[in-house]
Amino acid sequence: MNSRCATEICSEIRMKRWEMMELAKMYGLGHEYTLRQSEQLDKLINEYLILQHHSSVEVRNKREEMVVIVQQPFNDDISF
């Protein structure tokens, strides 16, 4: 995967989503053309998410201290 910026990938995602919607209008959701476009869209979204994850990991690794936030489990016994 080449190094591309998030803005560039987002732009491609918007275009690919529009193209997929147009194909769905013309051929239907289950048509091969629409499904192929959907797969390409999924790949772009995955690329974007990986880029975002790596960016956030790099930022966290540069900090001297890390703060971990843990959500408490929901307690069903609470009455209002």
Side-chain angles (χ1 to χ4, degrees):
M1 177 176 12
N2 57 359
S3 180
R4 300 189 300 161
C5 71
T7 307
E8 181 181 343
I9 297 171
C10 282
S11 197
E12 286 184 49
I13 288 171
R14 279 191 291 276
M15 181 57 108
K16 192 66 67 177
R17 184 179 291 134
W18 179 84
E19 291 171 356
M20 184 188 71
M21 289 172 23
E22 291 301 308
L23 287 170
K25 287 178 193 174
M26 291 188 328
Y27 299 104
L29 291 174
H31 194 277
E32 180 183 350
Y33 295 155
T34 307
L35 296 174
R36 192 175 306 139
Q37 198 75 4
S38 177
E39 289 172 356
Q40 293 172 5
L41 176 59
D42 289 344
K43 287 178 185 178
L44 284 171
I45 292 170
N46 287 335
E47 183 179 350
Y48 175 80
L49 292 174
I50 289 168
L51 178 67
Q52 293 301 99
H53 173 73
H54 287 301
S55 296
S56 66
V57 168
E58 288 173 12
V59 168
R60 276 194 309 240
N61 288 340
K62 290 179 184 178
R63 294 183 185 151
E64 292 181 9
E65 296 180 7
M66 254 179 129
V67 176
V68 178
I69 300 172
V70 179
Q71 180 178 354
Q72 294 295 322
F74 183 76
N75 186 350
D76 289 337
D77 296 334
I78 298 175
S79 58
F80 294 96

